[in-house]
Every structure is written in structure tokens, then in C-alpha cells.
Amino acid sequence: MKKMYQEMLQLLNRGESFVQATILTQSGSVPRTAGAKMIILADKSIKGTIGGGQVEALVQKLGAHVFETKETVTREYNLIGQAGQMDMICGGKLEVLVEYMDASNQQLLGIYQDIRAAIEKRKKVVLVTPIANGKNGNARSFLVKEDGSVGGTFSGLAELKEMFISQARSRYSGVITIAGNRFLVEPVSTYGTVYIFGAGHISQKLALLTPRVDFRTIILDDRKEFASRDRFPAADEVIVLENFEQAFNNLDIDQDSYLVIVTRGHAHDKTVLARALRTKACYIGMIGSLSKRDTIYRALREEGYSEDSIKKVYSPIGLKIAAETPEEIAVSIMAELIKVRAEQS
């Protein structure tokens, strides 16, 4: 989703209006869930997807109409009993919001600039769009920030604002109804940061995957020749450490942090794990065999670490998919990170 917001801001900065289609609600078997987005450009090409198939084609056609009317529209699509006719294997119901995004609207540009800043600064914000059945005219989206400030126009009660802020911890978009009024609520910038300790082969493969699912990615190693931009072009940050004892100096570890320990040796793994257990990170994973893990655990117990804290560690790291190669192990770790992130939400 981070990439979609970046695409939208780039279009607005270029002065290029577009139509945005967002799934509001879904039921039954449908390919995408609430919050999935698609951009429809003036030449009718698209970026992103709301599931493909005939429904996406119909929404694309509706987008061309919205370009002409400049009016926001909500539309329901019933796939039950029509899956075969519509060349889809799914059968369910979708409600889609189709909005004209006017590049000349400076308030809209400001909202998406604020979204970019929130993502970069790891601040939690919520994008809120009022919904009306049928035609909305021009829906006036606004941004509710963690500190209670608002980007855009919001004239609601303070209780409403507090309710929107309370949605910031979620990772999932959805529609909420308050006093008969419906709002699309989209949390932004709750994707999490992955800290990868060690810059070897597995780290290199993993760091190609984490940004693709919106994790901010930071690589840390004490070997300058390994911790380099050439090896980790997709990472947000690459840090060369003096040593692993100082690995956590100046790191902002919080409940949205995921710590992956894949250093080059048992001693370094233990050093990093000992420090990791003192943090509030929601995920701590350490690579290695069961015998290696048990050896490190015994040493930590002797140093006074509690059984409860040690039980929080995911080790051996990754989902059990019989992974062997660095690429396969990276996929198994990535899958575990996605699973834990979903559970956190």
C-alpha cells in the first residue's frame, strides 16, 4: 500500500488527475478485501488491482465515466451465481468506492504529502473518507493524525476524532458507521520496521522481500564489505557497526519492530538476542538449529533471563516449509513476519 500512496502523490505532484477505486466492503469469496485500491489514469490504464477479472474491467469502465463527471460514486457488484459468467472462480459481493482525484486540489495534495511524511517518520495516521450511497458529489477525505491534528476539512465532534484515532493501531481498512453516517477508515504507516542483524546471504535475499510488503528495512553488520548499498539496494538503511555489542545503540525499537537475527556465528547471535530480549519488539527471530538454540538459551538463563522472555523468541526462525537454500529460508522468514504482523493487528 505504501507504493500506491507514493504513486498517487507522484501523479498529484505532476498535476495529473486520476480516479481511485477502493473496495469498501466484501462478503463471500472475493479475490481482494476492503482497502484494496486501483488507480485509473486518463488513458484508461491502471495501476494496482482490486482483484482482476470482469469486475475490475467494469470498475475501469466506470472510472472513465467518473473522469467526465468528476463525481464520486459507490457501486455494488454481486458475484454470487455469476462467477462462471464473469470468468471468475469467486462468488461474493463487493462494494467499490470510485473517486475523482483532482490534481488542482491543493488540500488533496497536502493530505498525500502528509501521508508520505507519516510513512517516512513512522507516525500513525488515519485517512477518513465520508461515504454516501450512490453519488457522493465530491467526497472530502481528511487525515486524522496521532496527535489529534487534522489534515483537510473535518467538522465532526471530538468523539468522532477519538474514534478515528483509535483505528490507527489496526493495519486493515474498513467501513465504520457512526450515527447513521458511514466512513471509510484507512490506517496508514503501521507496516512495521524489520531490523536484520547480519548481512550474509540469507539477509540479502530477505531484504529484497521485506520492502515489497511494506516493511521498512534496516540492515546491521560489523563488516563494511557486507553491509553495503551494493548488496542491499532495496533497504531503507544500511548500518555498519563497530561491533554487535553496540548493535542497539541509537535504534528506535518499539512495538512495531521486528528483529531478525541472522549473524555469522553463535556468539554474535547470542549477543544480539540478549539485547533484543530487553526491547519491546513484537517479533524476535533467531536462525539456527535446535541444538544451537538450546545452547544459547541455557547461557541466557544462567545470566538471569527469564523463561517467559526466552519463550517469545521464534527459533528456529521462519515457518516450517522444509526450506534449504538462502532464497527458500528468506521466504519462510518473510511468511512468518507477515503472519505475526497480521496477528498484531
Side-chain angles (χ1 to χ4, degrees):
M1 190 58 72
K2 181 169 71 173
K3 183 178 179 181
M4 288 294 288
Y5 288 128
Q6 290 171 339
E7 293 265 17
M8 293 174 197
L9 181 57
Q10 288 171 5
L11 289 167
L12 293 172
N13 277 329
R14 292 201 301 262
E16 187 175 344
S17 300
F18 60 94
V19 168
Q20 174 184 262
T22 307
I23 295 179
L24 294 176
T25 61
Q26 87 288 335
S27 62
S29 176
V30 293
R32 297 297 304 274
T33 57
K37 290 182 179 293
M38 178 173 72
I39 296 171
I40 305 166
L41 301 175
D43 63 2
K44 300 183 182 179
S45 63
I46 62 172
K47 295 177 181 289
T49 178
I50 56 170
Q54 186 65 20
V55 167
E56 186 164 285
L58 291 172
V59 173
Q60 195 172 352
K61 183 176 180 181
L62 177 59
H65 176 69
V66 170
F67 256 111
E68 296 177 4
T69 65
K70 297 180 174 51
E71 290 187 323
T72 297
V73 176
T74 59
R75 186 68 54 85
E76 292 185 354
Y77 298 91
N78 188 347
L79 311 182
I80 296 173
Q82 301 181 44
Q85 299 172 40
M86 300 186 79
D87 205 22
M88 299 179 72
I89 60 172
C90 306
K93 293 181 180 179
L94 284 177
E95 183 183 17
V96 182
L97 176 70
V98 185
E99 307 170 79
Y100 179 72
M101 311 294 278
D102 187 353
S104 68
N105 184 335
Q106 291 302 303
Q107 183 170 283
L108 183 65
L109 175 62
I111 287 172
Y112 280 86
Q113 288 172 335
D114 284 349
I115 287 175
R116 179 182 62 184
I119 291 172
E120 290 175 349
K121 296 176 182 177
R122 299 170 62 196
K123 300 293 184 182
K124 294 179 176 63
V125 297
V126 180
L127 180 63
V128 182
T129 304
I131 305 166
N133 292 326
K135 293 185 178 180
N136 270 12
N138 267 325
R140 293 184 177 273
S141 297
F142 54 91
L143 202 65
V144 181
K145 304 178 185 179
E146 204 173 15
D147 61 4
S149 61
V150 175
T153 303
F154 172 66
S155 56
L157 300 173
E159 305 91 85
L160 283 182
K161 187 192 294 184
E162 290 302 315
M163 186 170 290
F164 295 139
I165 293 173
S166 72
Q167 304 295 313
R169 282 296 305 170
S170 173
R171 219 189 121 239
Y172 300 103
S173 302
V175 174
I176 62 175
T177 302
I178 306 171
N181 298 308
R182 301 173 76 215
F183 300 89
L184 170 62
V185 179
E186 301 177 90
V188 179
S189 190
T190 57
Y191 311 112
T193 299
V194 174
Y195 296 86
I196 303 177
F197 297 89
H201 298 304
I202 292 170
S203 302
Q204 192 178 26
K205 305 306 180 187
L206 180 61
L208 293 173
L209 300 176
T210 47
R212 290 177 176 269
V213 291
D214 290 335
F215 279 113
R216 181 167 170 257
T217 303
I218 298 177
I219 310 297
L220 306 97
D221 202 298
D222 61 351
R223 300 168 294 175
K224 187 176 182 180
E225 67 274 21
F226 280 79
S228 68
R229 257 305 151 200
D230 288 342
R231 284 173 53 78
F232 295 94
D236 293 275
E237 192 174 351
V238 180
I239 298 173
V240 179
L241 304 168
E242 285 191 28
N243 53 62
F244 280 104
E245 285 78 8
Q246 300 179 33
F248 286 78
N249 292 359
N250 303 315
L251 296 187
D252 185 17
I253 307 295
D254 59 19
Q255 293 176 346
D256 288 325
S257 299
Y258 301 74
L259 312 184
V260 176
I261 304 171
V262 283
T263 75
R264 63 185 180 278
H266 292 32
H268 295 313
D269 286 345
K270 177 182 173 295
T271 297
V272 175
L273 180 58
R275 292 289 304 276
L277 291 175
R278 301 190 191 115
T279 70
K280 296 179 180 179
C282 67
Y283 173 91
I284 302 170
M286 182 179 70
I287 200 164
S289 64
L290 289 172
S291 60
K292 167 195 163 177
R293 179 199 69 181
D294 293 344
T295 299
I296 291 176
Y297 285 3
R298 277 196 299 273
L300 290 174
R301 290 188 192 97
E302 291 171 2
E303 293 176 14
Y305 286 87
S306 70
E307 195 64 36
D308 285 345
S309 65
I310 291 173
K311 283 180 179 178
K312 296 176 183 177
V313 182
Y314 291 78
S315 184
I317 198 170
L319 295 187
K320 295 180 180 180
I321 59 172
E324 293 286 345
T325 66
E327 291 84 356
E328 291 173 346
I329 294 169
V331 169
S332 74
I333 297 171
M334 185 73 266
E336 189 165 77
L337 292 171
I338 291 170
K339 180 176 181 290
V340 172
R341 182 170 65 178
E343 291 169 349
Q344 291 296 310
S345 297

